[in-house]
């Protein structure tokens, strides 16, 4: 899956990547994968952290926006 979006966590401690086909991955700054999920979408276009860093907001190709609560190790 091609990486379409990259966003830093509000505190700068994590990086989230979003693939065009909807693969979401949260990494630490050393490149260790902390969380991965294939989203239930055909395509995903935008990605943003909430200000507290506990959720990610994802814009998709269908008429909805996903709000994903992250497990503690990925926050």
């Amino acid at each position: 899956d091609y990486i379409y979006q990259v966003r830093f966590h509000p505190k700068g401690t994590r990086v989230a990547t979003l693939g065009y086909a909807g693969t979401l991955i949260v990494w630490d700054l050393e490149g260790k994968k902390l969380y991965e999920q294939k989203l239930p979408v055909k395509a995903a276009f935008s990605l943003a952290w909430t200000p507290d860093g506990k959720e990610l907001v994802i814009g998709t190709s269908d008429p909805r926006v996903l709000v994903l609560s992250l497990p503690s190790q990925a926050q």
Side-chain angles (χ1 to χ4, degrees):
D1 195 10
Y2 293 103
I3 293 176
Y4 195 73
Q5 294 282 313
V6 177
R7 296 288 182 260
F8 277 94
H9 185 278
K11 293 182 182 177
T13 58
R14 307 272 188 264
V15 176
T17 59
L18 180 64
Y20 180 77
T23 302
L24 172 71
I25 303 174
V26 178
W27 310 83
D28 70 10
L29 296 182
E30 295 179 10
K32 179 182 174 189
K33 199 181 293 186
L34 302 173
Y35 178 78
E36 181 174 3
Q37 181 175 347
K38 173 66 174 113
L39 303 171
V41 299
K42 291 180 182 176
F45 299 109
S46 61
L47 174 67
W49 290 90
T50 56
D52 64 5
K54 294 182 179 183
E55 298 175 311
L56 285 165
V57 181
I58 300 145
T60 70
S61 60
D62 55 15
R64 63 184 167 155
V65 173
L66 301 177
V67 179
L68 180 67
S69 295
L70 296 169
S72 60
Q73 76 270 11
Q75 294 180 11

